[in-house]
């Protein structure tokens, strides 16, 4: 199992680069001429269903990469990107959260520390009462979850960023507004739901009607599906047990038990809700 921070920085840089490149490319596409461009490129007529399928794939890819921004910030909060350099961790975290939704790194880190220290308890800002499984309960929890991270200042930053992107895109494509909706706004909404469902609701919901415990548990998913759902955030027991491990190291801790010892990463700002 890796114990250094270099791999985390490499993965983080790759996620940020892919997010930026895909964003520039997709915000520049003229969606009105997408079928024509595809027909010329392939030499075959491109039907509307092919266009719709490609747009759907692009939206899902952007959503996955957008979730990756929050995962980068999450690792920064734990100090595992650059364990020997807290300032560098903070810079990575601020950049990732600003790009994600204009979120404030200091506030998010403080809330995440409470989540680890009081996991599943009354002091945990990410849980909502002792909600039982159910769609309405999940929706109430989701709104509570979002409300804990939104603010007027954050929304002003986010809307200002979207406005600037829209104006820049309008200079290169007449479908700038639709592009912004499909490849920036919708991915943020999907990413927020993804992080909540696989990183908070399923790992922390009370599954026993006679026991409202919301202590962390892991989702029983194969590694490839765990990656696609939320960058292994579903391996939640492992994350709370070994919070100094980066997201890409969590699969390696799946076979360990609470009695196993995983070396604490030196200088990592690890938090444990013991």
């Amino acid at each position: 199992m890796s114990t250094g921070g270099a791999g985390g920085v490499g993965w983080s840089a790759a996620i940020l680069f892919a997010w930026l490149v895909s964003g520039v490319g997709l915000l520049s596409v003229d969606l009105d001429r997408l079928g024509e461009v595809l027909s010329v490129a392939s030499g075959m007529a491109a039907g509307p269903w092919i266009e719709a399928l490609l747009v759907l794939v692009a939206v899902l890819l952007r959503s996955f990469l957008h979730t990756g921004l929050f995962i980068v910030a999450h690792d920064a909060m734990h100090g595992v990107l650059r364990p020997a350099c807290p300032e560098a961790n903070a810079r990575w975290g601020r950049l990732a959260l600003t790009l994600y939704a204009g979120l404030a790194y200091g506030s998010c880190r403080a809330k995440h520390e409470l989540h680890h220290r009081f996991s599943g308890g009354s002091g945990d800002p990410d849980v909502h009462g002792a909600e039982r499984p159910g769609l309405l309960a999940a929706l109430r929890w989701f709104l509570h979850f979002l409300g804990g991270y939104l603010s007027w200042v954050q929304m002003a930053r986010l809307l200002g960023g979207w406005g600037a992107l829209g104006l820049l895109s309008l200079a290169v494509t007449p479908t700038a507004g639709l592009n912004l909706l499909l490849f920036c706004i919708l991915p943020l909404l999907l990413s927020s739901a993804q992080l909540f469902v696989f990183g908070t609701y399923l790992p922390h919901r009370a599954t026993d009607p006679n026991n409202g415990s919301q202590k962390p548990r892991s989702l029983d998913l194969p590694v490839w599906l765990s990656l696609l759902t939320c960058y292994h955030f579903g391996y939640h027991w492992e994350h709370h047990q070994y919070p100094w491990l980066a997201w890409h190291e969590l699969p390696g801790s799946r076979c360990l038990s609470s009695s196993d010892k995983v070396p604490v990463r030196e200088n990592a700002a690890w938090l444990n809700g013991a």
Side-chain angles (χ1 to χ4, degrees), residues 136-170:
L136 289 179
L139 181 58
R140 286 194 296 268
W141 192 343
F142 182 48
L143 294 177
H144 170 83
F145 177 80
L146 290 180
Y149 291 92
L150 302 181
S151 69
W152 290 111
V153 174
Q154 173 266 329
M155 288 301 297
R157 284 196 294 261
L158 179 60
L159 294 175
W162 281 344
L165 282 176
L167 291 175
L168 290 173
S169 300
L170 194 58

Short mmCIF file of all heavy atoms in Angstrom, two decimals, residues 136-170:
data_model
loop_
_atom_site.label_atom_id
_atom_site.label_comp_id
_atom_site.label_asym_id
_atom_site.label_seq_id
_atom_site.Cartn_x
_atom_site.Cartn_y
_atom_site.Cartn_z
N LEU A 136 -38.58 9.99 0.67
CA LEU A 136 -38.80 11.30 1.28
C LEU A 136 -37.74 11.61 2.33
O LEU A 136 -37.26 12.75 2.43
CB LEU A 136 -40.19 11.36 1.90
CG LEU A 136 -41.36 11.41 0.92
CD1 LEU A 136 -42.69 11.44 1.67
CD2 LEU A 136 -41.25 12.63 0.01
N ALA A 137 -37.37 10.61 3.12
CA ALA A 137 -36.32 10.81 4.12
C ALA A 137 -35.00 11.15 3.44
O ALA A 137 -34.26 12.03 3.90
CB ALA A 137 -36.17 9.57 4.98
N ALA A 138 -34.70 10.46 2.34
CA ALA A 138 -33.46 10.72 1.61
C ALA A 138 -33.47 12.13 1.02
O ALA A 138 -32.46 12.83 1.04
CB ALA A 138 -33.28 9.69 0.50
N LEU A 139 -34.63 12.57 0.51
CA LEU A 139 -34.73 13.91 -0.06
C LEU A 139 -34.54 14.97 1.02
O LEU A 139 -33.84 15.96 0.80
CB LEU A 139 -36.09 14.08 -0.74
CG LEU A 139 -36.34 15.44 -1.41
CD1 LEU A 139 -35.27 15.73 -2.45
CD2 LEU A 139 -37.73 15.49 -2.03
N ARG A 140 -35.17 14.77 2.19
CA ARG A 140 -34.98 15.72 3.29
C ARG A 140 -33.52 15.79 3.71
O ARG A 140 -32.97 16.87 3.98
CB ARG A 140 -35.85 15.32 4.49
CG ARG A 140 -37.33 15.59 4.32
CD ARG A 140 -38.06 15.50 5.66
NE ARG A 140 -38.00 14.16 6.20
CZ ARG A 140 -38.92 13.22 5.99
NH1 ARG A 140 -39.96 13.49 5.22
NH2 ARG A 140 -38.80 12.02 6.53
N TRP A 141 -32.89 14.64 3.75
CA TRP A 141 -31.47 14.58 4.12
C TRP A 141 -30.62 15.29 3.08
O TRP A 141 -29.69 16.03 3.42
CB TRP A 141 -31.06 13.11 4.26
CG TRP A 141 -29.72 12.89 4.92
CD1 TRP A 141 -28.72 13.79 5.09
CD2 TRP A 141 -29.26 11.65 5.47
NE1 TRP A 141 -27.64 13.19 5.70
CE2 TRP A 141 -27.95 11.89 5.95
CE3 TRP A 141 -29.81 10.37 5.57
CZ2 TRP A 141 -27.18 10.88 6.53
CZ3 TRP A 141 -29.05 9.38 6.17
CH2 TRP A 141 -27.76 9.63 6.64
N PHE A 142 -30.94 15.08 1.80
CA PHE A 142 -30.18 15.72 0.71
C PHE A 142 -30.28 17.24 0.80
O PHE A 142 -29.27 17.95 0.65
CB PHE A 142 -30.72 15.22 -0.64
CG PHE A 142 -29.98 15.77 -1.83
CD1 PHE A 142 -28.59 15.77 -1.89
CD2 PHE A 142 -30.69 16.29 -2.90
CE1 PHE A 142 -27.91 16.27 -2.99
CE2 PHE A 142 -30.02 16.79 -4.01
CZ PHE A 142 -28.63 16.78 -4.05
N LEU A 143 -31.48 17.75 1.05
CA LEU A 143 -31.65 19.21 1.16
C LEU A 143 -30.89 19.74 2.38
O LEU A 143 -30.28 20.82 2.32
CB LEU A 143 -33.13 19.55 1.26
CG LEU A 143 -33.95 19.23 0.01
CD1 LEU A 143 -35.43 19.54 0.24
CD2 LEU A 143 -33.43 20.01 -1.20
N HIS A 144 -30.92 18.99 3.48
CA HIS A 144 -30.14 19.36 4.67
C HIS A 144 -28.65 19.36 4.35
O HIS A 144 -27.91 20.25 4.77
CB HIS A 144 -30.45 18.38 5.80
CG HIS A 144 -29.54 18.50 6.98
ND1 HIS A 144 -29.73 19.44 7.98
CD2 HIS A 144 -28.42 17.80 7.33
CE1 HIS A 144 -28.77 19.33 8.88
NE2 HIS A 144 -27.97 18.34 8.52
N PHE A 145 -28.22 18.35 3.61
CA PHE A 145 -26.81 18.21 3.22
C PHE A 145 -26.37 19.41 2.38
O PHE A 145 -25.33 20.02 2.64
CB PHE A 145 -26.67 16.90 2.44
CG PHE A 145 -25.30 16.64 1.89
CD1 PHE A 145 -24.28 16.14 2.69
CD2 PHE A 145 -25.03 16.86 0.55
CE1 PHE A 145 -23.02 15.88 2.17
CE2 PHE A 145 -23.77 16.59 0.02
CZ PHE A 145 -22.77 16.10 0.84
N LEU A 146 -27.18 19.76 1.36
CA LEU A 146 -26.84 20.90 0.52
C LEU A 146 -26.83 22.20 1.31
O LEU A 146 -25.94 23.04 1.14
CB LEU A 146 -27.83 21.01 -0.64
CG LEU A 146 -27.77 19.95 -1.73
CD1 LEU A 146 -28.83 20.22 -2.79
CD2 LEU A 146 -26.38 19.90 -2.37
N GLY A 147 -27.83 22.36 2.18
CA GLY A 147 -27.93 23.59 2.94
C GLY A 147 -26.74 23.86 3.83
O GLY A 147 -26.42 25.00 4.14
N GLY A 148 -26.04 22.80 4.22
CA GLY A 148 -24.88 22.96 5.07
C GLY A 148 -23.67 23.53 4.35
O GLY A 148 -22.72 23.97 5.00
N TYR A 149 -23.71 23.52 3.01
CA TYR A 149 -22.54 23.97 2.25
C TYR A 149 -22.82 25.21 1.39
O TYR A 149 -21.89 25.81 0.86
CB TYR A 149 -22.03 22.83 1.36
CG TYR A 149 -21.43 21.70 2.16
CD1 TYR A 149 -22.20 20.62 2.57
CD2 TYR A 149 -20.09 21.73 2.55
CE1 TYR A 149 -21.66 19.59 3.32
CE2 TYR A 149 -19.54 20.71 3.30
CZ TYR A 149 -20.33 19.64 3.68
OH TYR A 149 -19.79 18.63 4.45
N LEU A 150 -24.09 25.56 1.24
CA LEU A 150 -24.43 26.71 0.40
C LEU A 150 -24.49 27.99 1.23
O LEU A 150 -24.85 27.96 2.40
CB LEU A 150 -25.79 26.49 -0.29
CG LEU A 150 -25.91 25.25 -1.17
CD1 LEU A 150 -27.29 25.18 -1.80
CD2 LEU A 150 -24.83 25.24 -2.25
N SER A 151 -24.11 29.09 0.60
CA SER A 151 -24.20 30.41 1.24
C SER A 151 -24.38 31.44 0.15
O SER A 151 -24.15 31.17 -1.04
CB SER A 151 -22.94 30.71 2.06
OG SER A 151 -21.83 30.91 1.19
N TRP A 152 -24.79 32.65 0.54
CA TRP A 152 -24.98 33.70 -0.46
C TRP A 152 -23.66 34.06 -1.14
O TRP A 152 -23.62 34.31 -2.35
CB TRP A 152 -25.59 34.94 0.21
CG TRP A 152 -27.01 34.75 0.63
CD1 TRP A 152 -27.49 34.67 1.90
CD2 TRP A 152 -28.14 34.60 -0.23
NE1 TRP A 152 -28.85 34.48 1.90
CE2 TRP A 152 -29.28 34.44 0.60
CE3 TRP A 152 -28.31 34.59 -1.61
CZ2 TRP A 152 -30.56 34.26 0.09
CZ3 TRP A 152 -29.59 34.42 -2.13
CH2 TRP A 152 -30.69 34.26 -1.29
N VAL A 153 -22.58 34.11 -0.38
CA VAL A 153 -21.28 34.44 -0.96
C VAL A 153 -20.84 33.36 -1.94
O VAL A 153 -20.37 33.65 -3.05
CB VAL A 153 -20.22 34.63 0.15
CG1 VAL A 153 -18.84 34.82 -0.46
CG2 VAL A 153 -20.59 35.82 1.02
N GLN A 154 -21.00 32.11 -1.53
CA GLN A 154 -20.63 30.98 -2.40
C GLN A 154 -21.46 30.99 -3.67
O GLN A 154 -20.95 30.77 -4.78
CB GLN A 154 -20.80 29.67 -1.64
CG GLN A 154 -20.60 28.41 -2.46
CD GLN A 154 -21.90 27.88 -3.01
OE1 GLN A 154 -22.96 28.04 -2.40
NE2 GLN A 154 -21.83 27.25 -4.17
N MET A 155 -22.77 31.23 -3.56
CA MET A 155 -23.64 31.26 -4.74
C MET A 155 -23.27 32.40 -5.66
O MET A 155 -23.34 32.28 -6.89
CB MET A 155 -25.10 31.37 -4.30
CG MET A 155 -25.67 30.10 -3.67
SD MET A 155 -25.59 28.67 -4.79
CE MET A 155 -26.68 29.21 -6.11
N ALA A 156 -22.87 33.54 -5.09
CA ALA A 156 -22.44 34.68 -5.91
C ALA A 156 -21.19 34.32 -6.71
O ALA A 156 -21.07 34.65 -7.90
CB ALA A 156 -22.19 35.90 -5.03
N ARG A 157 -20.24 33.64 -6.05
CA ARG A 157 -19.03 33.20 -6.77
C ARG A 157 -19.39 32.24 -7.89
O ARG A 157 -18.87 32.33 -9.01
CB ARG A 157 -18.05 32.54 -5.80
CG ARG A 157 -17.28 33.48 -4.92
CD ARG A 157 -16.09 32.79 -4.28
NE ARG A 157 -16.52 31.75 -3.35
CZ ARG A 157 -16.59 31.90 -2.04
NH1 ARG A 157 -16.27 33.08 -1.50
NH2 ARG A 157 -16.97 30.91 -1.25
N LEU A 158 -20.27 31.29 -7.58
CA LEU A 158 -20.64 30.27 -8.56
C LEU A 158 -21.35 30.90 -9.76
O LEU A 158 -20.99 30.62 -10.92
CB LEU A 158 -21.53 29.22 -7.90
CG LEU A 158 -22.02 28.08 -8.79
CD1 LEU A 158 -20.86 27.29 -9.36
CD2 LEU A 158 -22.96 27.17 -8.00
N LEU A 159 -22.36 31.73 -9.50
CA LEU A 159 -23.11 32.35 -10.59
C LEU A 159 -22.23 33.30 -11.39
O LEU A 159 -22.37 33.40 -12.62
CB LEU A 159 -24.33 33.09 -10.02
CG LEU A 159 -25.40 32.19 -9.39
CD1 LEU A 159 -26.49 33.04 -8.76
CD2 LEU A 159 -25.99 31.23 -10.41
N GLY A 160 -21.33 34.00 -10.70
CA GLY A 160 -20.41 34.87 -11.42
C GLY A 160 -19.49 34.09 -12.34
O GLY A 160 -19.22 34.50 -13.48
N GLY A 161 -19.01 32.95 -11.86
CA GLY A 161 -18.17 32.10 -12.70
C GLY A 161 -18.92 31.56 -13.90
O GLY A 161 -18.39 31.55 -15.02
N TRP A 162 -20.14 31.12 -13.68
CA TRP A 162 -20.95 30.63 -14.80
C TRP A 162 -21.22 31.74 -15.82
O TRP A 162 -21.18 31.52 -17.03
CB TRP A 162 -22.27 30.06 -14.28
CG TRP A 162 -22.14 28.69 -13.71
CD1 TRP A 162 -21.10 27.81 -13.88
CD2 TRP A 162 -23.10 28.02 -12.87
NE1 TRP A 162 -21.35 26.64 -13.20
CE2 TRP A 162 -22.56 26.74 -12.58
CE3 TRP A 162 -24.34 28.37 -12.35
CZ2 TRP A 162 -23.24 25.81 -11.78
CZ3 TRP A 162 -25.02 27.46 -11.56
CH2 TRP A 162 -24.48 26.19 -11.28
N GLY A 163 -21.49 32.95 -15.31
CA GLY A 163 -21.73 34.07 -16.21
C GLY A 163 -20.52 34.38 -17.08
O GLY A 163 -20.64 34.61 -18.29
N ALA A 164 -19.34 34.37 -16.47
CA ALA A 164 -18.11 34.63 -17.23
C ALA A 164 -17.87 33.54 -18.27
O ALA A 164 -17.50 33.83 -19.42
CB ALA A 164 -16.92 34.71 -16.27
N LEU A 165 -18.10 32.28 -17.89
CA LEU A 165 -17.94 31.18 -18.84
C LEU A 165 -18.92 31.30 -19.99
O LEU A 165 -18.58 31.04 -21.15
CB LEU A 165 -18.14 29.83 -18.13
CG LEU A 165 -16.98 29.30 -17.30
CD1 LEU A 165 -17.39 28.01 -16.60
CD2 LEU A 165 -15.76 29.05 -18.17
N GLY A 166 -20.16 31.68 -19.67
CA GLY A 166 -21.16 31.84 -20.71
C GLY A 166 -20.78 32.91 -21.72
O GLY A 166 -20.93 32.72 -22.93
N LEU A 167 -20.26 34.04 -21.24
CA LEU A 167 -19.85 35.12 -22.14
C LEU A 167 -18.67 34.71 -23.01
O LEU A 167 -18.62 35.02 -24.21
CB LEU A 167 -19.51 36.37 -21.32
CG LEU A 167 -20.69 37.07 -20.64
CD1 LEU A 167 -20.19 38.21 -19.77
CD2 LEU A 167 -21.68 37.58 -21.68
N LEU A 168 -17.70 34.00 -22.40
CA LEU A 168 -16.55 33.54 -23.18
C LEU A 168 -16.98 32.52 -24.23
O LEU A 168 -16.51 32.56 -25.37
CB LEU A 168 -15.51 32.93 -22.24
CG LEU A 168 -14.76 33.89 -21.33
CD1 LEU A 168 -13.89 33.13 -20.34
CD2 LEU A 168 -13.89 34.84 -22.15
N SER A 169 -17.88 31.63 -23.86
CA SER A 169 -18.34 30.61 -24.80
C SER A 169 -19.14 31.22 -25.94
O SER A 169 -19.09 30.74 -27.08
CB SER A 169 -19.21 29.56 -24.07
OG SER A 169 -18.49 28.92 -23.06
N LEU A 170 -19.88 32.28 -25.64
CA LEU A 170 -20.70 32.93 -26.66
C LEU A 170 -19.85 33.50 -27.79
O LEU A 170 -20.32 33.67 -28.92
CB LEU A 170 -21.53 34.04 -26.02
CG LEU A 170 -22.68 34.62 -26.84
CD1 LEU A 170 -23.67 33.52 -27.23
CD2 LEU A 170 -23.39 35.72 -26.05
#
